[in-house]
Structure formats: structure tokens, C-alpha cells
């Protein structure tokens, strides 16, 4: 029997396959795990690199036909640029919402189905919705921020870099443009600059215009605060509250600053524009300064002042009475006047009542002293609602809110009460019958009585609504009424009086006239009463003859000439002769020009008084000129504003036309810079446009 062979002659022991596979699987698992960690690490680095380094800094949010809205990721800014990115209209810093240190991509559009809208929730703090409206010459981006929670403060800031900004509100020491202004964040309402020199004055509109061709229009119905950081930015801020108040505004862009303004005017003022009494432009206003303690003394002083105007051949004018003198006259015993009239001869009856024979303006305010019998009567007969009041309890009796006016404790007319308005209008009508005056000055609308005392105002009187309602009442008095505050009322047939200025050569004095003029007319307030020649803030008479003359030369080209210091007090015969000459020049040359461009303003909204960029809207040189102005498109006025100067630099804007000097008929091309151009003390540089 054959011998069987051994199958495994090797001395190595036999190993099963299961054990080898197990060891091999463990090795591969470790390798695969390490590879996975490496891949994850590389992917993480890649994602971080893409987000931080490689991801584009700019993300287009919305696109129009010539402009687009971009999200600047690193600066937390919304930027409106041309589609070619060769021009920036405006940069808006919105990083004040939420945590500015958190990187926000801001690219996830929750309104992606609509290519003209963008929606996003910002850091779980606020929701933003941006809508694009494309027009023929402009494109408008409507921005609405709504807080997600209560007491959230929303704040957007508009950069001043490479943009000159105009509009907003008057301030003490007005500048043109507003880039050099500083203002702490505060409610954007009209205040009395005498009591609050760092506040906002009249005129005020929620409208800002940029030289790059951008206009910002803020919703009129939301509480708003404004702050300005000189040469850096201005900021719009909502009021944090339980009501989750939104921040809402519209940004419109156009080819240039003029086109942007013309489009904004159509959106801002949708009412028909009415002219005030244009006969007022022909009459200088003379302020009666003497302090008196009785009506008869006021009457005698009126007679004396009127005779002096005639003796100095200063022509017909309006003698202005302050509120104190108005009260004294209105309180005069009617029997006193009647007895005088009965006792006079026929030859003198034409002089009585004396006041009715004079052209005067009276001054009234919505304030009534608490010592006045009318106030005590209202408390007795149940008409306490005639005055701004608050209930003592939710269903309790109304208690008038006290305030101070002219150093006395007063109550203020409740302009929302029809009975109170009728009472006030009856009072004005009685004065008109008693005194025969045509012109009424309404003071005291500035400020919010409730908010100044940390009281919650009624909804109908929040913000500046009192001023708007007072303007409505003023129009019922007549088209010769003068108000001291204007907001959302430039379309009404009223005159607006400028804030008083200092009697000096500073930006708070003489140098502040032209910036204030351009500010008012840009906002639509063309029919303004400038501050008196020489300035009236201090109440003192002007003694600087040169200042008086240079001030007179400017106001001769404004809608109305007004005087606080009579010319016979300020200087010798030269001042009187110049006063007569410039009053005549105003009536002969300026008033017809204003009447011509008033018709254009009614039709188009174009201002009567215009900045230099109006004729050359793409010329950067014109954006900051604050010492020249245009009347319409045809007259350029360049007065001297420096003490002792008899020459000045003048820039003639270019628009394909020439300019002719009114004095020597010398002709210059547009775009010419005239250095040290001679302007004698008794003259002002005026150029006429030639086609």
C-alpha cells in the first residue's frame, strides 16, 4: 500500500484566513478614518477661505436699468452704484443694527420670486425689505426696516465721502452744503433756536439731496432722530419703543444733482402750489422798536415813525409791531378811539383811527398767559379743551399743560380743537376790524410742548404736526400771513420768516444769509422774509455802517427787505441814500424777476433762488459755493461778505453760455474764475446770463 504524502511539510504552523482578514480590515479602517479627517479638515479650511478670502466682497442685491444696489460685506454697507461700477451715488452704513462684529453675508433674498424686491432678516433683530422702482430718468430704492423685538434702535448712516449734502433742517450758523455741520442725535423736529441753539430750526423737511445725484426722502409718519458728524456722515435713527417703530426712507438716484432734486420735488410735494400775496414783495418792512406800556403811546409812536419814513423819502412800507405792542393796541378802549374821532374836525378825520391809515403788521402767537381773563373764563365755562391738555386719569378731567412764553407762564392753543381755532380766527378778525391791518405774523409754533416736558403727546400732535396744523390755520387768515416755522407747508400761500442772525460778519451773521436762503428755497420755501438788515438776534441797533451797507446789498435781491435798525440811526446821508437806491432797485429789477420765476415754481417746483450747480450740475466746483446765488437762470449775485474787502473771487458756472457784468458790460465765458474781482463798498457784483 503506497505511503501517503504529508500536505504541509513546512515547519510553519497553519494559519486560518479569518484571522488575516480581520487584521487587514482594522488597518484599512484606521487609514480610511485618517483620510476622512484630512478631507474634512481641507474642506473646512476651504470653506473658511471662501467665506473670508475668496468670497466676493460685493454682492449685487437689486439691479435697475442704470444703477444697482450692492451689499458691501466687509463694511456692512449698502451701496448704490452704476451698473458699470464707475460711479457711486451713495454709501449707507447699516452695521449699526445688531452685532457689528458678526460677519453677515446678506445675500439670501427671501423675496427671490420678485426681481424688484429684496427681503432679509438681519441678525434676528430687524427685518429689511427693499423695493426698486424704475422710472424714465430715476431709479428709487424704498427701504423699510422693522424691528423683530420691542425697544430696538434702528440706525442708518449716509457717508459724506465725495458727496456734498443739502437739505434737512436749518441750524444756527447755516452751512451750504451741510457737510460741515455737527449735531448730536436728537429728535428731528423744529425747535426755537433762541432757546435751543444746538437744535434744528425752520425750515425743516425730511429730505436730503446729494451732489452725486442722490435724493433721500424719509417717511413723514414715523418718529425720527437725526445726527450729523462733520465731514463724515449723517445718521437717521428710529425711536426704540413698544410699538416697534420702523425706519423707512426712499433713495432715488439720477444722472446729476439737479435731476435728482426735480424728481424728489414731485414725490415730496404732491399738492398744488399756491402763491402768497405778491404785492408784499414791493414793500419794505420796518420794525417798531420802542418799548411802550400803553396803547395810546404805541399809537403816537406809530405816527412819529411813519412821519419820519416820509420825511426821509423812504416810500411806502409796512411797520411791524411785536406781540407786546399788538396786545397794547388790541386792549385799547374802543370808546377812546370813538371819542377822539367824534371830537376831531372834518379836516383831521382822515387821520382817524390813526392805525387804520397805516400799513402795519401785527404779531400773534398761540400762547395765552395764565393770568389772562380768557383763560380763567375757559376753566369756568368748560372750554379748557381750547388749550393743549392731558387728562388727569384715563377718564379724568382735562388739565392744561403749562409752558413759558416770553418769560410768562402760558397755555398753548389746541390747534386740533375746531372751537379753539374758531376762537383764534375770530380774535384775528376782530383785530383786523379794529386796526385795519393786512399782515399778521404768527410766532411760537416751534417745538413740541408735550415732548419737551417728557409727556406722551396725543397721536395728532406728535413730532412737528402742530406746525403743519398752524400753517393750515394761517392760510385761513389770509395770503399775507407770515409764519416763523415751516415743515410740509411750502405749497401753502404763506411767507416764512428766517431765524434771527447775529449783527456781525460770521457764519451766524452776514455769512449765514446765502446758505440759509439756498436751504429754504431748496426745500420749497421761496417766499421768505429775511432777517432784518444788520441782524436782529441781539435786539440792539446796528452801529457798524459797513456791515449795514453790505447786508443791505444782499437783501435788496431777496423777496422782501426788512429793517430792524433805521438807516438814519446807523450812519450819515450816504446810508440813507443807499437805502433809497437799493429799495428802488429791488422794486424795479428784482420783484419782476421773482414774479417771473414764481410762475415757473408753481408749474414745476423749481426754486426761484438757485445754487450755482443748477446751471452746471456736473461741475464739482459748484457744489460747495456758498457765497453766490442765482435768481432763476439769468441773474448771478455775488455780494461781498468780508469786512473791509472791496474785491472778491467769483466763479461763473459753465453751461454753454456767457456772463455779462451789469456794471461795465464786460463779457466772460462760463466756467471762468474771476480772482480779486473789484466790488466797491457801495456796489454788489451782478452778472446777467447771455445765451
Amino acid at each position: 500500500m503506497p505511503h501517503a504524502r504529508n500536505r504541509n511539510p513546512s515547519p510553519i504552523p497553519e494559519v486560518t484566513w479569518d484571522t488575516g482578514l480581520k487584521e487587514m480590515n482594522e488597518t484599512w479602517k484606521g487609514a480610511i478614518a485618517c483620510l476622512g479627517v484630512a478631507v474634512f479638515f481641507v474642506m473646512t479650511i476651504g470653506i473658511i477661505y471662501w467665506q473670508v478670502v475668496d468670497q466676493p466682497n460685493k454682492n449685487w442685491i437689486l439691479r435697475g436699468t442704470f444703477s444697482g444696489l450692492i451689499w458691501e460685506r466687509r463694511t456692512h454697507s449698502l451701496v448704490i452704484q452704476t451698473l458699470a461700477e464707475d460711479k457711486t451715488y451713495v454709501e449707507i452704513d447699516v452695521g449699526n443694527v445688531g452685532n457689528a462684529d458678526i460677519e453677515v453675508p446678506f445675500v439670501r433674498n427671501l423675496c427671490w420670486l420678485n426681481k424688484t424686491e429684496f427681503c432679509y432678516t438681519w441678525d434676528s433683530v430687524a427685518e429689511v425689505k427693499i423695493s426698486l422702482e424704475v422710472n424714465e430718468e430715476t431709479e428709487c430704492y424704498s427701504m423699510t426696516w422693522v424691528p423683530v423685538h420691542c425697544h430696538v434702535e434702528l440706525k442708518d448712516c449716509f457717508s459724506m465721502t465725495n458727496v456734498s449734502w443739502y437739505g434737512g433742517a436749518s441750524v444756527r450758523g447755516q452751512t451750504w452744503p451741510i457737510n460741515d455741520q455737527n449735531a448730536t442725535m436728537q429728535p428731528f423736529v423744529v425747535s426755537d433756536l433762541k432757546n435751543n441753539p444746538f437744535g434744528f430750526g425752520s425750515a425743516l423737511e425730511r429730505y436730503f439731496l446729494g451732489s452725486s445725484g442722490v435724493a433721500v426722502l424719509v417717511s413723514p409718519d414715523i418718529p425720527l432722530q437725526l445726527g450729523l458728524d462733520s465731514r463724515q456722515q449723517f445718521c437717521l435713527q428710529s425711536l426704540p419703543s413698544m410699538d416697534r417703530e420702523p425706519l423707512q426712507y426712499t433713495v432715488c438716484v439720477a444722472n446729476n444733482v439737479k435731476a435728482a432734486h426735480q424728481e424728489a420735488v414731485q414725490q415730496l410735494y404732491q399738492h398744488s402750489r399756491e402763491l402768497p400775496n405778491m404785492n408784499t414783495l414791493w414793500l419794505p418792512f420796518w420794525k417798531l422798536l420802542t418799548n411802550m406800556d400803553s396803547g395810546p403811546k404805541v399809537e403816537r409812536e406809530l405816527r412819529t415813525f411813519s412821519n419820519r419814513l416820509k420825511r426821509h423819502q423812504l416810500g411806502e412800507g409796512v411797520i411791524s409791531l411785536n406781540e407786546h405792542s399788538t396786545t397794547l393796541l388790541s386792549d385799547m378802549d374802543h370808546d377812546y378811539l370813538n371819542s377822539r374821532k367824534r371830537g376831531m374836525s372834518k379836516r383831521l378825520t382822515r387821520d382817524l383811527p390813526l392805525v387804520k391809515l397805516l400799513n402795519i403788521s401785527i404779531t400773534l402767537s398761540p400762547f395765552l398767559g395764565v393770568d389772562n381773563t380768557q383763560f380763567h373764563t375757559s376753566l369756568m365755562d368748560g372750554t379748557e379743551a381750547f388749550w393743549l391738555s392731558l387728562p388727569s386719569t384715563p377718564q379724568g378731567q382735562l388739565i392744561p399743560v403749562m409752558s413759558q412764553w416770553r418769560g410768562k407762564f402760558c397755555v398753548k392753543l389746541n390747534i386740533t380743537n375746531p372751537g379753539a381755532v374758531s376762537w383764534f380766527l375770530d380774535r384775528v378778525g376782530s383785530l383786523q376790524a379794529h386796526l385795519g391791518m393786512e399782515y399778521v405774523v404768527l410766532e411760537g409754533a416751534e417745538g413740541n410742548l408735550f415732548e419737551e416736558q417728557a409727556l406722551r403727546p396725543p397721536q395728532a400732535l406728535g413730532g412737528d404736526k402742530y406746525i403743519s396744523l398752524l400753517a393750515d390755520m394761517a392760510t385761513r387768515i389770509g395770503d399775507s400771513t407770515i409764519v416763523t416755522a415751516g415743515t410740509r407747508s411750502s405749497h401753502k400761500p404763506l411767507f416764512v420768516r428766517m431765524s434771527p442772525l447775529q449783527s456781525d460778519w460770521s457764519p451766524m451773521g452776514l455769512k449765514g444769509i446765502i446758505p440759509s436762503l439756498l436751504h429754504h428755497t431748496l426745500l420749497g420755501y421761496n417766499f421768505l422774509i429775511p432777517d432784518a438788515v444788520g441782524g436782529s438776534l441781539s435786539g440792539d441797533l446796528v452801529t457798524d455802517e459797513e456791515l449795514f451797507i453790505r447786508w443791505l446789498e444782499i437783501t435788496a435781491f431777496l423777496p422782501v427787505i426788512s429793517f430792524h435798525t433805521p438807516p438814519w440811526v446807523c450812519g450819515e446821508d450816504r446810508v440813507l441814500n443807499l437805502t433809497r437806491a437799493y429799495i428802488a432797485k429791488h422794486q424795479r429789477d428784482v420783484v419782476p424777476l421773482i414774479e417771473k420765476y414764481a410762475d415757473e415754481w408753481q408749474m414745476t417746483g423749481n426754486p426761484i433762488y438757485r445754487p450755482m450747480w443748477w446751471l452746471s450740475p456736473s461741475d464739482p466746483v459748484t457744489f460747495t459755493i456758498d457765497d453766490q446765488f442765482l435768481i432763476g437762470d439769468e441773474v448771478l449775485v455775488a455780494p461781498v461778505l468780508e469786512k473791509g474787502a472791496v474785491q472778491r473771487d467769483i466763479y461763473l458756472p459753465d453751461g454753454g453760455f456767457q456772463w455779462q457784468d451789469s456794471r461795465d458790460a464786460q463779457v466772460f465765458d462760463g466756467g471762468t474764475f474771476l480772482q480779486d474781482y473789484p466790488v466797491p463798498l457801495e456796489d454788489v457784483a451782478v452778472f446777467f446770463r447771455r445765451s
Side-chain angles (χ1 to χ4, degrees):
M1 176 175 184
H3 179 73
R5 297 182 58 186
N6 189 349
R7 292 185 179 182
N8 188 13
S10 172
I12 300 175
E14 186 175 355
V15 180
T16 64
W17 281 104
D18 290 342
T19 302
L21 285 174
K22 183 175 181 181
E23 292 177 355
M24 184 179 67
N25 286 343
E26 292 295 332
T27 303
W28 277 106
K29 283 181 181 179
I32 292 172
C34 291
L35 181 62
V37 171
V39 170
F40 177 78
F41 180 76
V42 170
M43 290 178 62
T44 302
I45 295 297
I47 292 173
I48 294 175
Y49 177 85
W50 178 78
Q51 287 186 336
V52 176
V53 179
D54 196 44
Q55 185 180 359
N57 183 45
K58 295 182 178 181
N59 297 110
W60 289 88
I61 293 176
L62 293 172
R63 295 176 188 260
T65 57
F66 65 85
S67 73
L69 182 64
I70 297 172
W71 168 239
E72 287 270 7
R73 186 169 53 90
R74 292 173 190 160
T75 60
H76 285 209
S77 297
L78 291 170
V79 181
I80 301 179
Q81 291 183 330
T82 56
L83 295 180
E85 299 186 45
D86 56 355
K87 177 181 178 180
T88 297
Y89 292 102
V90 64
E91 180 177 349
I92 310 169
D93 179 8
V94 299
N96 297 285
V97 178
N99 189 345
D101 297 327
I102 298 177
E103 186 72 37
V104 181
F106 206 95
V107 293
R108 297 187 297 276
N109 186 2
L110 304 181
C111 298
W112 58 274
L113 288 175
N114 191 335
K115 293 183 180 293
T116 62
E117 288 187 351
F118 178 88
C119 306
Y120 186 75
T121 300
W122 179 280
D123 197 23
S124 300
V125 173
E127 296 175 348
V128 61
K129 181 177 181 180
I130 306 173
S131 301
L132 170 62
E133 180 181 349
V134 177
N135 303 310
E136 186 175 347
E137 296 184 2
T138 61
E139 295 182 352
C140 297
Y141 299 82
S142 297
M143 316 267 193
T144 302
W145 294 85
V146 180
V148 175
H149 310 291
C150 301
H151 301 292
V152 172
E153 190 176 83
L154 305 173
K155 180 179 177 182
D156 286 0
C157 296
F158 296 76
S159 174
M160 293 180 176
T161 303
N162 299 323
V163 182
S164 295
W165 288 96
Y166 317 94
S170 298
V171 295
R172 179 68 58 82
Q174 187 72 45
T175 63
W176 179 271
I178 65 174
N179 292 44
D180 289 329
Q181 293 177 11
N182 267 311
T184 58
M185 187 64 68
Q186 59 187 290
F188 192 53
V189 295
V190 176
S191 59
D192 189 340
L193 294 181
K194 282 187 176 180
N195 301 326
N196 182 17
F198 302 106
F200 300 120
S202 173
L204 179 149
E205 296 293 342
R206 296 184 172 200
Y207 167 50
F208 300 87
L209 178 68
S211 59
S212 58
V214 58
V216 180
L217 300 97
V218 186
S219 171
D221 302 320
I222 60 171
L224 181 70
Q225 297 186 94
L226 177 74
L228 294 104
D229 297 324
S230 177
R231 302 189 182 186
Q232 296 183 37
Q233 61 186 8
F234 71 90
C235 298
L236 307 175
Q237 183 172 294
S238 67
L239 292 175
S241 68
M242 290 290 294
D243 300 327
R244 297 194 301 134
E245 295 286 358
L247 181 61
Q248 192 172 23
Y249 58 88
T250 299
V251 180
C252 294
V253 295
N255 183 49
N256 55 54
V257 59
K258 178 181 177 181
H261 175 67
Q262 290 176 320
E263 171 63 25
V265 165
Q266 304 309 315
Q267 295 192 34
L268 193 62
Y269 311 110
Q270 299 181 353
H271 304 277
S272 59
R273 290 173 279 270
E274 300 180 68
L275 296 177
N277 180 5
M278 300 299 283
N279 293 328
T280 307
L281 307 181
W282 297 85
L283 303 173
F285 277 64
W286 305 89
K287 189 170 184 179
L288 190 68
L289 294 176
T290 307
N291 289 323
M292 293 146 288
D293 57 6
S294 69
K297 289 182 180 179
V298 175
E299 184 186 16
R300 284 196 299 271
E301 189 60 33
L302 278 170
R303 184 205 306 266
T304 301
F305 193 81
S306 176
N307 290 337
R308 186 167 289 180
L309 290 175
K310 293 176 182 177
R311 185 166 66 251
H312 289 298
Q313 300 176 349
L314 290 167
E316 185 182 359
V318 179
I319 303 176
S320 302
L321 302 177
N322 60 23
E323 189 175 11
H324 176 67
S325 296
T326 300
T327 302
L328 292 176
L329 275 184
S330 64
D331 290 344
M332 283 180 66
D333 186 2
H334 289 230
D335 293 336
Y336 165 78
L337 286 175
N338 293 333
S339 65
R340 287 192 58 187
K341 184 164 67 173
R342 288 194 300 270
M344 285 294 184
S345 66
K346 183 177 181 180
R347 180 176 62 85
L348 296 178
T349 53
R350 68 181 186 276
D351 295 330
L352 291 175
L354 172 66
V355 178
K356 283 192 174 182
L357 298 177
L358 300 176
N359 202 0
I360 69 170
S361 72
I362 65 170
T363 302
L364 300 173
S365 76
F367 290 95
L368 186 72
V370 294
D371 57 350
N372 191 286
T373 56
Q374 175 64 37
F375 174 63
H376 291 271
T377 302
S378 68
L379 296 180
M380 299 296 293
D381 63 13
T383 57
E384 63 272 9
F386 277 22
W387 322 111
L388 295 181
S389 308
L390 288 175
S392 55
T393 61
Q395 302 297 327
Q397 183 180 4
L398 289 176
I399 299 178
V401 178
M402 298 293 172
S403 62
Q404 282 195 319
W405 174 251
R406 301 286 189 254
K408 294 183 177 181
F409 285 102
C410 299
V411 290
K412 195 171 186 179
L413 186 74
N414 183 359
I415 201 76
T416 63
N417 186 304
V421 172
S422 296
W423 169 83
F424 191 89
L425 293 175
D426 288 344
R427 179 188 173 200
V428 175
S430 176
L431 286 171
Q432 287 175 326
H434 183 35
L435 305 176
M437 82 290 174
E438 182 177 1
Y439 301 94
V440 177
V441 180
L442 284 183
E443 296 182 334
E446 299 88 345
N448 188 301
L449 186 63
F450 298 99
E451 294 174 359
E452 290 171 356
Q453 302 183 39
L455 300 173
R456 185 180 180 90
Q459 186 174 359
L461 291 172
D464 278 327
K465 292 179 181 177
Y466 192 98
I467 297 175
S468 299
L469 293 172
L470 192 74
D472 292 337
M473 186 178 73
T475 59
R476 296 173 63 180
I477 294 175
D479 60 3
S480 299
T481 307
I482 302 166
V483 295
T484 58
T487 181
R488 296 191 292 277
S489 57
S490 64
H491 60 285
K492 298 183 183 298
L494 300 170
F495 289 91
V496 176
R497 193 174 70 189
M498 281 187 182
S499 299
L501 298 171
Q502 295 177 181
S503 299
D504 57 31
W505 300 80
S506 73
M508 295 187 181
L510 181 69
K511 288 187 179 70
I513 297 176
I514 296 177
S516 185
L517 168 72
L518 296 176
H519 169 78
H520 276 75
T521 56
L522 182 80
L523 299 184
Y525 297 94
N526 292 275
F527 305 99
L528 45 92
I529 310 290
D531 192 29
V533 172
S536 66
L537 183 63
S538 67
D540 298 329
L541 296 177
V542 179
T543 57
D544 186 337
E545 183 177 316
E546 182 188 2
L547 178 66
F548 186 95
I549 292 173
R550 289 305 192 190
W551 207 300
L552 174 66
E553 291 169 353
I554 299 178
T555 54
F557 291 90
L558 304 188
V560 175
I561 306 177
S562 62
F563 294 90
H564 173 82
T565 301
W568 59 81
V569 172
C570 182
E572 301 176 355
D573 289 343
R574 178 173 70 160
V575 176
L576 266 171
N577 291 334
L578 283 172
T579 302
R580 296 189 197 102
Y582 276 105
I583 289 176
K585 184 178 185 63
H586 174 82
Q587 295 170 338
R588 181 185 66 247
D589 301 332
V590 179
V591 173
L593 202 58
I594 295 174
E595 291 176 334
K596 171 184 176 180
Y597 284 99
D599 293 335
E600 179 182 326
W601 170 76
Q602 267 197 297
M603 292 185 293
T604 66
N606 291 341
I608 296 175
Y609 292 88
R610 301 169 182 178
M612 292 299 105
W613 51 253
W614 191 266
L615 294 180
S616 189
S618 299
D619 183 358
V621 176
T622 64
F623 295 158
T624 56
I625 296 178
D626 62 353
D627 57 359
Q628 303 174 191
F629 61 89
L630 299 166
I631 306 179
D633 284 346
E634 55 189 283
V635 175
L636 185 153
V637 183
V640 171
L641 304 176
E642 297 292 340
K643 183 176 178 61
V646 290
Q647 58 190 19
R648 60 155 293 168
D649 297 339
I650 300 173
Y651 184 74
L652 304 175
D654 190 12
F657 42 75
Q658 295 178 314
W659 294 95
Q660 184 177 34
D661 191 331
S662 63
R663 294 174 296 175
D664 57 15
Q666 191 175 0
V667 177
F668 302 92
D669 292 330
T672 300
F673 180 75
L674 305 176
Q675 190 171 11
D676 296 332
Y677 199 71
V679 187
L681 175 60
E682 300 179 1
D683 211 342
V684 57
V686 179
F687 295 83
F688 299 118
R689 173 183 163 182
R690 294 181 54 178
S691 302

